[in-house]
Amino acid sequence: MVPLYWYLWLGSVVFAVGIFGFLTRRNIIIMFLSIELMLNGVNISLVALSHYMQDLRGQILVFFVIAVAAAEAAIGLAIIIAMFRNKATLHADEIAEMKG
Amino acid sequence: MDISTIGPLLPEIIMAASALLVLLFELVIRKKETAGLLSIISVAIVAYYIPQSFGKAFGGMFISDGYSVFFKFIFFINLILTVLLSMRYLVIEKSNHGEYYALIMFSTLGMMIMASAGDLIVLYLGLELMALSTYVLAGFIRHDIRSNEAAIKYFLLGAFSSALLLYGITIIYGLTGTTDISLIGAAVAEKGLSTPLFLSIIFLMVAFGFKIALAPFHMWAPDVYEGAPTSITAFMSVGPKAAGFAAFGRVFLTGFGSLSADWTGILIVLSILTMAVGNIIAIQQSNIKRMLAYSSVAHAGYAVLGIIVGGAEGISAMMNYLFIYGFMNIGAFAVVIMLRSEGFQGEALEDFKGLARTHPLAAAMMLVFMFSLTGIPIPPTAGFIGKFYLFKAVIGAGYIWLAVVAVIFSAISAYFYLRVVMYMYMLEPEGEAVTLSLSPSLGLALLITTIAVIFIGLYPSPLLSFARLAAG
Amino acid sequence: MVEWFFGYLAGAVILLSILVVLSRNPVHSVLWMLLMFLHVAGLYLLLNAEFLAATQVIVYAGAILVLFLFVVMLLNLKEELRIKRFTGGWPFRLLIAAGILIILKKVLDGFKVGFKGPWSIEAIEQATHTKALGKVLFTEYILPFEIASLILLVAIIGAVFLAKKRLRT
Amino acid sequence: MQYYLLIPLMPLGAFFFNLILGKKIVRRQAHWPSTLAVAGSLVVSVMVLLDVLSGKTLNEDLYVWIVSGNFKVSIGFLIDQLTVVMLIVVTSVSFLVHVYSIGYMQEDPGYYRFYAYLSLFTFSMLMLVTANNFLQLYFGWEAVGLCSYLLIGFWYEKKSASNAGKKAFIVNRFGDFGFGLGVIMVFLTFGTLAYIPVFEGAGSMAAQSINILGMQVDLITLIALLLFCGAVGKSAQVPLHVWLPDAMEGPTPVSALIHAATMVTAGVFMVARLNPIFSLSPVAMDVVAVVGAVTALFAATIALVQNDIKRVIAYSTISQLGYMFIACGVGAYGAGVFHLYTHAFFKALLFLCAGSVMHAMGGEVNMQKMGGLRKYMPVTYATMLLASLSISGIPPFAGFFSKDEILWMAYNGGSVGRIVWALGGTLAALLTAFYSFRLIYLTFHGEFRGTEEQKHHLHESPGTMTIPLIILGIGAVAAGWIGIPPIISSITGVEHANWFAEFMKPVLGHPEIEAPHSTEAMVMTFSVAIAVVGIAVAWLFYIKRREMPVSLARRYGLIYKLLYNKYYVDEIYNLIVVRPTMLFSRYVLVGLTDGVIIEGIVNGVPALINWFGAKVRRLQTGLLQSYGTMMALGLFLILAIAFIVVSK
Amino acid sequence: MEIGYPVLSTVIFLPVFGGLLMLLIGRNQESVVKWTALFFSTLTLVLSLPLFTEFDKTTYLMQFVERKSWIPDWGVEYYVGVDGISVLFVLLSALITILCVLISWNSIKIKVKEFYVSLLLIEGAMIGVFCSLDFFLFYIFWEAMLIPMYLIIGVWGGPRRVYAAIKFFLFTLVGSIFMLIGIIVLYLKGGTFNILELSQMALPFNLQMWLFWAFFAAFAVKVPMFPLHTWLPDAHTEAPTAGSVILAAILIKMGAYGFLRFSLPLFPDASTAMTPVMLGLSVVAIIYGGLVCFAQTDLKRLIAYSSVSHMGFVTLGIFTLNSQGMEGGILYMINHGIITGALFLCVGIVYDRTHSREIVDYGGLASVMPVYAGFFMLFTLASIGLPGLNGFISEFLVILGGFKAKKLVGVLAATGIIIGAGYMLWLYQRVFFNEVNENIARIEPMGLREALPLLSLSVFVFWIGIYPDTFLSFMHVSVNHLLERVNYGVSDTMMAIKGLTGGY
């Protein structure tokens, strides 16, 4: 039997890799992907917890997370497209008109 | 299904329905302002049903109590005022689309759900509903690069923070086996502090901290507030923030209330940091929207004192503060919007030079809002009442030093609020006089906010009673 | 046996997520991501969550990532391949991420659930996962479900509004 | 006896009348209200004198002025022998000066203002002398100071005049500083400020002492010395004498009235009035005497070499005031007041004569440019000669009697200290005679040394001026006859030997005479002799051998220079008081404390906040990832710190 | 008392009402604005006269009391009343405002309406401060005054007005925030904002000390006490005439009034214990403020610094804790209000003509404006404490009180009279005497509208100087009552201290 915390550990690794990607990548789309990684880390943990607790609520939450992720993706990508029309770049560090 | 089980949800249902209605309506009408009007009417209807909505639904997932109702009123006011601000503004910005009003309504619906959420899953979804609508609104002026930038920043960081929120929810779920906030509270009280629990508390704190823009999770706020359409900045700086507070307060005081001794320390540090950062950087700003953004950061630092204090006193002080803050902040933005006209940004502090000369009434209103925002040492504005109550609660809880710190930052804040007054009153206008784009709706918004700010300043009793009752 | 499966899937998931983050080309990232999602779905299967595994594949991999792919391809990115992948202070940021990871690891080590619900594996198998989930979702969690539908609606409105070419001024 | 109130009120009325109506309505007739008022005061004063002579004195409170807690002070009047003498002196001299000024000030554009001030002064001086408590005394004290200030600076467009006025006021304030504290000490000691209860209670306080900065100080001595500070200032005693010579910038009638006859003698009056307090403190008495003696000599030496006719008289005034203080210091208050009284006549006369001379000379004050005026202005010459003889102490002129009595009283007892004072006084008498006649000779004798234009213009003054001179001249001769010393009266058989001293005795007492008559005669003879010597030397220097003073001055250049520059007292004050204050204020207080330290903090804190804000602001880079990093870092730090804390 | 209207509310709110009413007047109708302002300010004074005539001098109890619940949730009341300490300030405020209206008649040329509105609002707030018996209400008035004052300095002031206005604002604001904290702490301790009830409380000594300093911050800035005084020269100098007059005559009195009304009765033990510090600071202010005047080249700045010195006398008097000092201090406030107010009015009169505040630009003014010179002389003399004029009475009482409390303090304070004479007469000389400066040779003499305020103030100069009892008699009972409270401390700690040192 796989211990629960292996799953949690795996989830946290994926989560942390997502954080790393979000913090370091310049490409907005990859940053976005990194967030998806973080969500997947969370999802892995949730499903595992749900499984080990013999409770379905965690999985329900995962379901919603996926739904929300889809919505986020739609809006996020739309925003990216809208921006790309005005300024043809996908690098977060080039989008810094406002600062200070 | 028994209708009574969804009774508490009635306002939300009406809200959702009317949002859809507005959306449909948008397709058939040419004059988009009508959609705005419709949204105001629907909010009025929703507000009418609020008093009948008290109760719990879906096994405690949805709670309509005094606490949520109070916040909902903040959201309604926020919505109404924002819509009033927007009507003419959107035309000037060449973004007069009906989706705008629908999105504002959806966003408000999300806030209402957040305020009423008795379950973390509902909370999360309400938050996302609010956030996603707001992301779109922030980027609503598609052709404006700054609006795009605001949307991108808000969106990515918002998504990042909701991932953190989810992680926190996950851990707490793992620890207690539930996502129901009151059950979590019971479980937490029973089991006491453990490191995983603390971990989840911190994750949730960071996530909520992002929503209410606590330093150091505030950094999105100035950029987004500056870039977003001004009406949406006004909207965002009040509604989502208040919703964040609502959720923050509910989760931390109901869910983690028994451990408050453990997490208030962190919150105090964050609150001081927030006040410091908000006020000190605001002094540096020359763009008034950005300055107000920092000021809004600082105000979050004050309001969070209410959560630190906790209890009915702290909560009612916080709610009271947010209520008042809504009026004065939107009022200030309304003046900024008034200066925006075709081909003229009106956002720079320089643009306010000599306003008292060219538009005395506008200047006088701005003066009232600025003094009210300064708050503490300046009665008799609503801002004073808000801060007074807050600091009274803080001192009552024994944190005299914290009140002193807050009050000092409040004095520092006077510096930049006063600078606006100084520009308006003490400097002479340069070049051509600013033309005001005053529409009846904007005028109405200004009138409401000004009167509210002064009235609450002079006769705060009804509001105080309401807040106290709501915090109950 | 299960441990081995888990070991493979976990290793692949970690490796793939790192590849997602490190790939220079966003298209590659998306593709690695796709692969990773399939492995995650495998993990779900391992945890008796067939419905979620399916959702993962259909919605996540099938819909969301395809959307990403479209966008990546839509936007012309030749230039992307020539410039730096990472922001300036990435080692420091790596440290932060690593630090968070270490803390998570320390805290979660030996994590034990204190709660046992009614949905044992047997119960789920008996009801089939989809049905079980659906039952909970559409009774207990009908409210969130409805909210989720509003979220998707907003997403549609927003995405359509933002992404469409300017029609009116 | 209520009519006494008219004495001060009439001049006050005249003051307001002139002040309000003067410029527009009264104008050139401004002398009428003032002069009539003071004449009225004079008449009433005489009536009061008669009352007092018949034995009636009066002490009554008019109304309560200030009350606070146990502090209570009234506006009230004390009419007794001393008061009445002062009333007569003040009103009569004042009246004459009023009359004199009609001619003297005729051309002045500020005519009405001048008379308004004169009336105000008369009022103030009368309030001063009739007060029945310390605070009212202080009121009069300051009020006369104010009038002095206003009148010295009468020609305010002249910088030297406005400077002099200011100087007079401020120097006096130094004295008043002590005086005021003295008044407060009196109240704290006696619980009241009314004269009579204080005088009655003084005896019981004699041995009390208080602790000041760790030192035990005799209470009465302290009070007396503090009060005396005021006298030093007002009566221009060393070291606060510096204002009086400068005060000569004022119109000459003012010099005569205020800076010779009345106000400057207020110090003497005060010491005499408060004699029950002073008498209790031998130390204070000695201080008074020493200050008097030093001043008498000090001023006389300066007067020797001055060329400004008014300044010579001014120094002479200082010197004579010193005499009076010697008298007070040895307990002979009667003698002091007697000298005050005679001095009022001859000194006022001297000034008015000087004024007359200046009038004729077109404002010229340098005696070296005069000479031979005798033939042009006989009346002036004659009266001034009388005054000079009087001041020199030549019998039977008024000055002789009073000065002689002082010297005698000083000598009385014959202790070493007293002999020193008496010798000092005698030496001063020598100098007095010398410089007085130096003045006469330089001015009236010899050749005229002025310009042709001045010579052409020389004339005797009009009647309004000469008549007062003549009246005062009579006074300068005869005023002393009411105080003929017993020895003379015994020789000449005149009755009422020293009638004045007897009259004053109820108020001022009279020191016991210990030494025999023979000694008195010796002292008298000696003093007269020395006066004659002084006159003779003056004759030698300025009539007989005109070159002697010059060669002497050259020979003793250093001393001459020292005297000519008045011992450089002004310069020293400037160096140690005025300049340091200014520099301290400008550079230390304004520059350093206010400017650098306080303002540094005041402006520094906001600047610091600004600077800090500018730094922190840089964190807001506008970069998405760095915002994320900030969040993650915040999360990490909170986690890390929380777990470090929890695990402990 | 049979007066047909609530006197205090009327005098507080009539000006406010007038001010708001004036907002309705058109922007171009300047003379209507002026007359309306004059009407309301005069009416206020007239309606405040019952305070003078009907005041019962035999009781220390609050009179003309009005009490209404305001914010019941916090127990805040609208609670006003006056006693012998405050009543005169109400009258003074009403009087000074009229003079300010008159003196601004021609000198305010821009935004006329706004100016008079601000002026009337200030009047209401000032009077409110002196009447409030509820801390919350007090604080509202206390700070409400800042806003119009800030505008008056900043909008109608001199060249450096913006700096001065912000400095003024931030200074007073930073001071008063500490007081606010103190008020809240007091409220939480005593459960009420009622000042009179709180004054009955026996607080522990340590708390008293903390609160004393918290209140000190607010009051000392306002007074201003050394070393918190540097806002004052700037504010006074840059403010328009009316602003300077109000600042000098009323506003800075509030600090001293605060000490009297709050610090002493609320924290009697702390006040007693801190007497040496307060006396020390006062003496420093007297001497420092005076000496600094010698280096000033600006008319208004000089008078402003002289205010620092004079207010030193006021605080000195208050903290002598004896009746002479305290009554002297209160009377000093009134007198200083009259004298310095008048001096600023005077400066305003010439400033309107020459637009220069530099002393060197003047000289020989007495020849050009003789009547004016006479008034100025009168006020100068009153300022340097010439007996017979009002300044003397209070100065003497304060020095007497100081001497009684501590001899050295009395002596040092008395040096103030030398210094004061020095700088004031020097000033007078430089401005009015000497040769006529060309700049001012042809300026017009003073008009009746300008003379009237000066005349009315000079009436008080003589009145108080010659018969001060009219005013002193208001104070006796209240001051004695206050002294009783202060001298019989409340906490055990203080008793112990008093026992150890053998009594104060």
Side-chain angles (χ1 to χ4, degrees), chain E residues 118-129:
Chain E
S118 307
L119 205 58
L120 289 181
L121 291 182
I122 288 190
E123 180 182 12
M126 288 189 307
I127 296 177
V129 166

Side-chain angles (χ1 to χ4, degrees), chain A residues 1-2 4-10 12-17 19-21 23-27 29-30 32-34 36-37 39-40 43-44 47-49 51-57 59-60 62-64 66-71 73-75 77-82 84-86 90-91 93, chain C residues 3 6 10 13-14 17 21-24 26 29-30 33 36-37 43-44 46-49 52 56 59-60 64 67-68 72 75 77 80 83-87 90 93-94 97 101 104-105 108 110-111 113 115-121 129 132 136-137 141 144-145 151-152 155 159 162-164:
Chain A
M1 189 67 186
V2 184
L4 168 63
Y5 66 87
W6 285 19
Y7 282 99
L8 297 182
W9 171 227
L10 173 64
S12 65
V13 170
V14 174
F15 190 78
V17 170
I19 292 179
F20 168 73
L23 299 187
T24 54
R25 288 304 300 249
R26 300 174 60 235
N27 188 306
I29 292 187
I30 298 183
F32 198 180
L33 284 176
S34 303
E36 299 295 345
L37 277 181
L39 291 180
N40 271 281
N43 282 352
I44 293 169
V47 176
L49 284 169
H51 175 82
Y52 282 86
M53 284 198 287
Q54 304 184 353
D55 181 71
L56 284 181
R57 266 173 282 196
Q59 301 192 10
I60 301 279
V62 171
F63 176 78
F64 288 129
I66 292 174
V68 169
I75 284 184
L77 292 170
I79 292 173
I80 292 171
I81 289 170
F84 197 82
R85 289 209 180 105
N86 289 317
L90 278 180
H91 296 128
D93 50 3
Chain C
E3 285 87 346
F6 176 81
V13 163
I14 293 171
S17 42
V21 168
L22 293 185
S23 295
R24 181 182 291 272
S29 279
V30 175
M33 190 90 179
M36 192 205 99
F37 281 171
L43 278 172
Y44 292 169
L46 215 56
L47 292 165
N48 298 69
L52 283 181
Q56 179 84 4
V59 178
Y60 238 140
I64 301 177
L67 199 58
F68 269 95
V72 171
L75 310 175
L77 293 171
E80 177 71 23
I83 57 168
K84 281 190 289 182
R85 269 173 290 185
F86 296 110
T87 51
W90 69 266
R93 292 166 194 203
L94 175 63
L101 181 61
L104 290 181
K105 164 89 167 66
L108 296 177
F111 190 91
V113 291
F115 172 88
K116 287 274 187 227
W119 294 99
S120 60
I121 300 168
H129 185 250
V136 178
L137 193 59
Y141 285 90
F145 187 82
I151 290 175
L152 290 167
L162 287 173
K164 75 184 164 190

